[in-house]
């Protein structure tokens, strides 16, 4: 049995992940820099926030809430209906990095998450690829 902590545990578990996701969507909802990516979402961000929370929970090594409820994430396929270019990726990352800056975490975890989230966000691009 491994005693190494998962990124989910290092982040602080459910409460801190929820704080991160809620802050991410608050930034997206109010910061004009994120207008394009905000416009890809429904007016009420509650469902989007819940899905991102569930996805990140499992992605970070915590409970596989998204898979239990919706099955395999199939991220790229689920994002194909949206025209996501480098600007959309960068706006998403802008919101996430701002939210991450408000959540205390070790530098090594922050660096790991920034790189992993960028790779994932970049994989969602389906325009100017």
């Amino acid at each position: 049995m491994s005693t190494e902590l998962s990124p989910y545990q290092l982040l602080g578990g459910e409460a801190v992940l929820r704080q991160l996701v809620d802050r991410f969507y608050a930034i997206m909802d109010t910061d004009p820099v994120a207008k394009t990516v905000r416009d890809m979402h429904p007016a009420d961000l509650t469902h989007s926030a819940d899905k991102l929370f569930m996805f990140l929970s499992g992605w970070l090594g915590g409970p596989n809430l998204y898979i239990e409820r919706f099955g395999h994430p199939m991220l790229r396929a689920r994002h194909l209906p949206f025209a996501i270019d480098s600007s959309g990726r960068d706006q998403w990352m802008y919101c996430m990095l701002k939210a991450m800056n408000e959540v205390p975490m070790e530098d090594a975890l922050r660096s790991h998450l920034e790189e992993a989230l960028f790779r994932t966000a970049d994989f969602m691009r389906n325009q100017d690829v």
Side-chain angles (χ1 to χ4, degrees):
M1 182 170 160
S2 173
T3 58
E4 187 173 317
L5 296 177
S6 69
Y8 178 84
Q9 292 166 310
L10 291 170
L11 184 64
E14 179 180 347
V16 177
L17 179 58
R18 177 56 75 182
Q19 175 189 351
L20 175 67
V21 169
D22 288 348
R23 190 65 193 120
F24 167 81
Y25 278 107
I27 292 165
M28 182 189 291
D29 198 32
T30 59
D31 194 318
V33 171
K35 181 177 178 3
T36 301
V37 74
R38 174 60 181 98
D39 289 347
M40 293 180 196
H41 290 77
D44 181 353
L45 292 170
T46 305
H47 188 64
S48 298
D50 287 344
K51 281 185 143 180
L52 181 60
F53 170 78
M54 288 186 280
F55 170 75
L56 288 177
S57 176
W59 188 77
L60 292 169
N64 281 315
L65 305 174
Y66 189 95
I67 290 172
E68 290 168 6
R69 181 139 179 221
F70 300 106
H72 191 283
M74 301 182 300
L75 286 181
R76 186 143 168 109
R78 292 184 197 268
H79 287 82
L80 279 176
F82 308 99
I84 302 171
D85 59 11
S86 296
S87 176
R89 173 205 61 207
D90 293 348
Q91 288 178 34
W92 192 95
M93 283 300 301
Y94 169 84
C95 297
M96 184 54 76
L97 293 175
K98 278 190 80 169
M100 285 174 59
N101 284 336
E102 297 180 21
V103 174
M105 67 181 81
E106 295 291 325
D107 289 343
L109 177 60
R110 181 179 311 283
S111 179
H112 170 75
L113 292 180
E114 286 176 6
E115 291 173 21
L117 287 165
F118 180 84
R119 282 192 308 271
T120 303
D122 191 55
F123 185 65
M124 296 305 104
R125 285 187 309 125
N126 54 35
Q127 305 289 309
D128 74 26
V129 290

mmCIF file of all heavy atoms in Angstrom, residues 4-5 16 49-50 62 65 78 90 94 99 102 113:
data_model
loop_
_atom_site.group_PDB
_atom_site.id
_atom_site.type_symbol
_atom_site.label_atom_id
_atom_site.label_comp_id
_atom_site.label_asym_id
_atom_site.label_seq_id
_atom_site.Cartn_x
_atom_site.Cartn_y
_atom_site.Cartn_z
ATOM 1 N N GLU A 4 2.153 7.539 -0.356
ATOM 2 C CA GLU A 4 2.276 8.827 -1.045
ATOM 3 C C GLU A 4 0.896 9.468 -1.174
ATOM 4 O O GLU A 4 -0.079 8.814 -1.534
ATOM 5 C CB GLU A 4 2.885 8.601 -2.433
ATOM 6 C CG GLU A 4 3.212 9.889 -3.139
ATOM 7 C CD GLU A 4 3.960 9.645 -4.427
ATOM 8 O OE1 GLU A 4 4.878 8.802 -4.442
ATOM 9 O OE2 GLU A 4 3.610 10.292 -5.423
ATOM 10 N N LEU A 5 0.842 10.748 -0.866
ATOM 11 C CA LEU A 5 -0.428 11.469 -0.944
ATOM 12 C C LEU A 5 -0.740 11.849 -2.385
ATOM 13 O O LEU A 5 0.146 12.212 -3.150
ATOM 14 C CB LEU A 5 -0.375 12.724 -0.075
ATOM 15 C CG LEU A 5 -0.225 12.510 1.428
ATOM 16 C CD1 LEU A 5 -0.112 13.852 2.146
ATOM 17 C CD2 LEU A 5 -1.385 11.704 1.983
ATOM 18 N N VAL A 16 -11.350 22.145 -0.199
ATOM 19 C CA VAL A 16 -10.460 23.064 -0.916
ATOM 20 C C VAL A 16 -10.704 22.977 -2.419
ATOM 21 O O VAL A 16 -10.696 23.991 -3.117
ATOM 22 C CB VAL A 16 -8.982 22.797 -0.558
ATOM 23 C CG1 VAL A 16 -8.054 23.702 -1.355
ATOM 24 C CG2 VAL A 16 -8.761 22.992 0.936
ATOM 25 N N ALA A 49 -20.034 24.013 -12.716
ATOM 26 C CA ALA A 49 -19.158 23.943 -11.548
ATOM 27 C C ALA A 49 -19.213 22.551 -10.917
ATOM 28 O O ALA A 49 -18.177 21.999 -10.530
ATOM 29 C CB ALA A 49 -19.537 25.014 -10.532
ATOM 30 N N ASP A 50 -20.405 21.991 -10.818
ATOM 31 C CA ASP A 50 -20.526 20.647 -10.240
ATOM 32 C C ASP A 50 -19.779 19.619 -11.079
ATOM 33 O O ASP A 50 -19.084 18.752 -10.545
ATOM 34 C CB ASP A 50 -21.998 20.246 -10.117
ATOM 35 C CG ASP A 50 -22.718 20.987 -9.013
ATOM 36 O OD1 ASP A 50 -22.043 21.585 -8.140
ATOM 37 O OD2 ASP A 50 -23.966 20.983 -9.025
ATOM 38 N N GLY A 62 -8.711 11.769 -6.102
ATOM 39 C CA GLY A 62 -9.736 11.626 -5.076
ATOM 40 C C GLY A 62 -10.859 10.732 -5.579
ATOM 41 O O GLY A 62 -10.674 9.970 -6.531
ATOM 42 N N LEU A 65 -15.983 10.783 -8.720
ATOM 43 C CA LEU A 65 -17.383 11.214 -8.742
ATOM 44 C C LEU A 65 -17.933 11.353 -10.153
ATOM 45 O O LEU A 65 -19.076 10.969 -10.419
ATOM 46 C CB LEU A 65 -17.516 12.552 -7.995
ATOM 47 C CG LEU A 65 -16.993 12.565 -6.557
ATOM 48 C CD1 LEU A 65 -17.034 13.973 -5.985
ATOM 49 C CD2 LEU A 65 -17.774 11.592 -5.702
ATOM 50 N N ARG A 78 -16.567 15.613 -25.496
ATOM 51 C CA ARG A 78 -17.579 16.451 -24.841
ATOM 52 C C ARG A 78 -17.386 17.937 -25.135
ATOM 53 O O ARG A 78 -18.314 18.729 -24.999
ATOM 54 C CB ARG A 78 -17.576 16.211 -23.337
ATOM 55 C CG ARG A 78 -18.074 14.825 -22.960
ATOM 56 C CD ARG A 78 -18.160 14.657 -21.457
ATOM 57 N NE ARG A 78 -18.242 13.274 -21.062
ATOM 58 C CZ ARG A 78 -19.374 12.601 -20.883
ATOM 59 N NH1 ARG A 78 -20.530 13.192 -21.095
ATOM 60 N NH2 ARG A 78 -19.351 11.346 -20.498
ATOM 61 N N ASP A 90 -6.423 29.764 -23.351
ATOM 62 C CA ASP A 90 -5.704 30.705 -22.495
ATOM 63 C C ASP A 90 -6.637 31.414 -21.521
ATOM 64 O O ASP A 90 -6.257 31.683 -20.375
ATOM 65 C CB ASP A 90 -4.944 31.716 -23.345
ATOM 66 C CG ASP A 90 -3.800 31.068 -24.124
ATOM 67 O OD1 ASP A 90 -3.447 29.902 -23.841
ATOM 68 O OD2 ASP A 90 -3.275 31.729 -25.046
ATOM 69 N N TYR A 94 -6.307 31.254 -17.621
ATOM 70 C CA TYR A 94 -6.252 32.516 -16.873
ATOM 71 C C TYR A 94 -7.143 32.432 -15.633
ATOM 72 O O TYR A 94 -6.716 32.764 -14.520
ATOM 73 C CB TYR A 94 -6.694 33.652 -17.789
ATOM 74 C CG TYR A 94 -6.951 34.966 -17.105
ATOM 75 C CD1 TYR A 94 -5.905 35.850 -16.835
ATOM 76 C CD2 TYR A 94 -8.243 35.341 -16.753
ATOM 77 C CE1 TYR A 94 -6.143 37.070 -16.211
ATOM 78 C CE2 TYR A 94 -8.488 36.554 -16.130
ATOM 79 C CZ TYR A 94 -7.434 37.414 -15.862
ATOM 80 O OH TYR A 94 -7.678 38.619 -15.247
ATOM 81 N N ALA A 99 -7.622 31.536 -9.811
ATOM 82 C CA ALA A 99 -8.263 30.815 -8.709
ATOM 83 C C ALA A 99 -7.217 30.064 -7.890
ATOM 84 O O ALA A 99 -7.261 30.080 -6.651
ATOM 85 C CB ALA A 99 -9.316 29.851 -9.254
ATOM 86 N N GLU A 102 -5.363 31.895 -5.207
ATOM 87 C CA GLU A 102 -6.111 32.207 -3.990
ATOM 88 C C GLU A 102 -6.216 31.008 -3.050
ATOM 89 O O GLU A 102 -6.788 31.126 -1.966
ATOM 90 C CB GLU A 102 -7.508 32.719 -4.357
ATOM 91 C CG GLU A 102 -7.456 34.013 -5.145
ATOM 92 C CD GLU A 102 -8.823 34.530 -5.519
ATOM 93 O OE1 GLU A 102 -9.821 34.139 -4.862
ATOM 94 O OE2 GLU A 102 -8.904 35.326 -6.468
ATOM 95 N N LEU A 113 0.269 21.049 -11.045
ATOM 96 C CA LEU A 113 -1.105 21.289 -11.503
ATOM 97 C C LEU A 113 -1.144 22.240 -12.692
ATOM 98 O O LEU A 113 -1.909 22.020 -13.639
ATOM 99 C CB LEU A 113 -1.972 21.820 -10.364
ATOM 100 C CG LEU A 113 -2.259 20.843 -9.228
ATOM 101 C CD1 LEU A 113 -3.116 21.502 -8.168
ATOM 102 C CD2 LEU A 113 -2.906 19.572 -9.749
#
